[in-house]
Amino acid sequence: MSRIGKKPVEIVNGAKVAVNGNVIEVEGPKGKLTFEHRDEVTVTVNEDAKEVVVTRDNDERTSRELHGLTRAIIRNMIEGVTKGYEKKLEIVGVGYLAAIKGDVLQLRVGYANELHRKIPSDLQVTCPDQTHIVIQGCDKQSVGQFAAEVRACRTPEPYKGKGVRYQGEYVKIKPGKSATK
């Protein structure tokens, strides 16, 4: 059996989990998330023990793969609606900056034109200062995807380290041509 899949998911205080056929709905103080799982796995909610149990019908390869995946997604949903997820980005470079105007993130990262990224409706994006971006939301996939899209606007280059990076990310700086003599 899947090591991750066989563990029950604890329902923390403040979260409500409902299973309606193949649709799982999780609601909490930070928001509401839904997920439709595949037919190869079965999800049941044990109200007495306050836990969600994921079981699979057979030992086929896809069933084994989906067993742990479904359990992990449900755990992330419960954590998202209670605690939420957050990604922090920092912008490194002279003249590089970020600003928010309405529902659009504006980035000046060394190109001739400003880059505009529309902020998804389920996320809260803030700029505490011009060189930092904070992305918050209850859906882990949505937070990570938007952070990756913003980082892809100008990935850190290896010679001066300029670009958009995750906070705390280490960028290995290469020596230039003059250092090889």
Side-chain angles (χ1 to χ4, degrees), residues 27 36 49 56 65 85 114 126 130 132 154 169 181:
E27 193 171 351
E36 186 173 349
R56 65 175 186 250
E65 292 167 350
Y85 289 101
E114 245 180 31
T126 57
Q130 291 183 340
H132 289 87
R154 178 69 106 178
E169 178 182 359
K181 289 183 181 182

Side-chain angles (χ1 to χ4, degrees), residues 38-41 56-70:
R38 299 258 307 257
D39 293 328
E40 288 89 345
V41 293
R56 65 175 186 250
D57 302 332
N58 52 39
D59 281 338
E60 291 181 17
R61 183 180 179 104
T62 55
S63 299
R64 291 192 316 250
E65 292 167 350
L66 293 168
H67 190 203
L69 174 72
T70 305

Side-chain angles (χ1 to χ4, degrees), residues 105-123:
L105 177 66
Q106 299 174 335
L107 296 167
R108 256 189 250 158
V109 285
Y111 296 119
N113 298 321
E114 245 180 31
L115 299 177
H116 299 278
R117 293 285 172 258
K118 183 160 178 18
I119 299 170
S121 61
D122 60 335
L123 298 180

Side-chain angles (χ1 to χ4, degrees), residues 150-161:
V150 172
R151 183 182 182 274
C153 290
R154 178 69 106 178
T155 55
E157 54 96 17
Y159 294 102
K160 291 185 180 177

